Amino acid sequence: MTLPALHNTGVLYRRILSQFPQDISLAFAYGSGVFKQHGTSQGQMEKNMLDFVFAVDDPVTWHTMNLLQNRKHYSILKLFGPTMISSIQNEHGAAVYYNTLVPVDGRIIKYGVISTESLIDDLMHWKTLYVAGRLHKPVKMLVQSENAKLRAALVANLKSTVTASFLMLPESFTEEDLFLQIAGLSYAGDFRMVIGEDKSKVANIVKDNFQHFRILYSNILRDCPQVVYKPQQGKLEVDKSPEGQFTQLMALPRTLQQRITKLVDPPGKNRDVEEILLQVAQDPDCGAVVQQGISSIVKSSSITQSIKGIATAGLWKTVSYSSKKLMKMWKGWRRKPSVSQMS
């Protein structure tokens, strides 16, 4: 899972991490400040905000320590103390607590804190697809504890991504088609893609990070019995028979299966999941149903997490952060003709 990002950034990341409580089970950096995206120069990258996620076993203790070390990072919610902060983290939105627009070591950073338990739940079951979705794409792993359950969940998340993408792709496709599908999964249904995000974001992520995607997924593709993978030609063929699609649907994370069931099963019928998925497997619109299921998960978590973000960031930072996102979207529109062609 560890991937090379920018050169000479190892020291920068270590310096930033050293300023936080060290009881972290998983830490990774992601986004346009870490991985080059098409149309962004090295100089622009170094000005971009660095995004981090920290998974911690005990959020109350971690926030207690962080409030002692980095009280200024928090909005007015710091006045309510670590127990309240942890409860806001765990019980609302996507179970992540973000501090944003924080100056650390000459860079501006944003960091999200999630409990290890909530992270494993999202990776295994796609409950919110918020952090699990970030981990579908290349990230820079900084800390990874010897937690066997967490390691297994990280791999399960990548396998689920491949399975869901197979259901939405035709019988034959290229690696590029697959990586575009994978990169787009966690943006499906995200209201921020309508307002506030650069529309060509998915293509930009894949275009300059193709090899990173290959490193992340090649072993899974080689070991998957449902696909013929030809890495030399960059081509794949997947089993689109009803039997093949049923096997794939049965392997999807639990929350996605439940969302698909809800979409297909009329109220009051109460058929079991297996029976409904068997019906979906034979439907020519099977891929569209899977896409709708994913969109419904992402939509609800992206809205609730963004509302929560106003409280955790504070009003001034929210306005500042949102205006930067809108500016990025505007630049993306102006740049669009030159990057819309994936070559």
Side-chain angles (χ1 to χ4, degrees), residues 122-123 126 129-137 157 182-183 186:
D122 197 28
L123 292 167
W126 286 10
L129 258 180
Y130 202 85
V131 179
R134 299 277 179 281
L135 288 160
H136 292 168
K137 297 174 279 289
N157 179 46
I182 286 171
S186 61

Side-chain angles (χ1 to χ4, degrees), residues 184-196:
L185 281 188
S186 61
Y187 297 120
D190 188 336
F191 80 98
R192 292 167 304 173
M193 290 303 279
V194 179
I195 180 160

Side-chain angles (χ1 to χ4, degrees), residues 92-118:
H92 302 281
V96 195
Y97 189 101
Y98 270 102
N99 284 326
T100 190
L101 296 176
V102 175
V104 179
D105 232 65
R107 294 294 294 264
I108 298 294
I109 76 162
K110 174 178 91 179
Y111 63 95
V113 184
I114 185 169
S115 76
T116 309
E117 188 184 351
S118 294

Side-chain angles (χ1 to χ4, degrees), residues 265-282:
D265 202 32
K269 267 252 183 134
N270 297 326
R271 292 178 299 161
D272 69 9
V273 172
E274 201 167 324
E275 194 184 335
I276 292 157
L277 295 182
L278 190 57
Q279 178 194 323
V280 174
Q282 296 166 62

Side-chain angles (χ1 to χ4, degrees), residues 1 26 123 135 141 144 150-158:
M1 291 276 303
L26 187 84
L123 292 167
L135 288 160
M141 280 288 173
Q144 194 173 340
L150 178 55
R151 283 175 182 270
L154 287 162
V155 176
N157 179 46
L158 296 180

Side-chain angles (χ1 to χ4, degrees), residues 103-244:
V104 179
D105 232 65
R107 294 294 294 264
I108 298 294
I109 76 162
K110 174 178 91 179
Y111 63 95
V113 184
I114 185 169
S115 76
T116 309
E117 188 184 351
S118 294
L119 175 59
I120 290 170
D121 191 31
D122 197 28
L123 292 167
M124 294 298 295
H125 305 304
W126 286 10
K127 194 173 174 184
T128 69
L129 258 180
Y130 202 85
V131 179
R134 299 277 179 281
L135 288 160
H136 292 168
K137 297 174 279 289
V139 301
K140 175 76 174 165
M141 280 288 173
L142 307 171
V143 174
Q144 194 173 340
S145 70
E146 292 300 316
N147 181 329
K149 206 172 166 188
L150 178 55
R151 283 175 182 270
L154 287 162
V155 176
N157 179 46
L158 296 180
K159 286 182 176 173
S160 297
T161 313
V162 167
T163 305
S165 297
F166 284 170
L167 284 158
M168 290 184 274
L169 287 161
E171 196 170 356
S172 305
F173 49 91
T174 64
E175 278 181 307
E176 187 172 72
D177 295 330
L178 175 63
F179 299 154
L180 282 166
Q181 188 72 58
I182 286 171
L185 281 188
S186 61
Y187 297 120
D190 188 336
F191 80 98
R192 292 167 304 173
M193 290 303 279
V194 179
I195 180 160
E197 286 286 8
D198 181 346
K199 293 293 187 300
S200 47
K201 184 170 185 150
V202 173
N204 292 348
I205 290 168
V206 174
K207 193 161 183 131
D208 278 15
N209 295 290
F210 194 84
Q211 288 309 318
H212 291 321
F213 275 94
R214 259 200 155 167
I215 292 163
L216 207 49
Y217 287 102
S218 58
N219 286 346
I220 289 168
L221 293 172
R222 281 197 187 96
D223 296 344
C224 178
Q226 295 226 290
V227 72
V228 178
Y229 177 39
K230 305 170 188 168
Q232 289 77 19
Q233 294 107 306
K235 291 190 173 154
L236 302 98
E237 287 165 26
V238 72
D239 183 358
K240 297 303 276 187
S241 68
E243 297 77 17

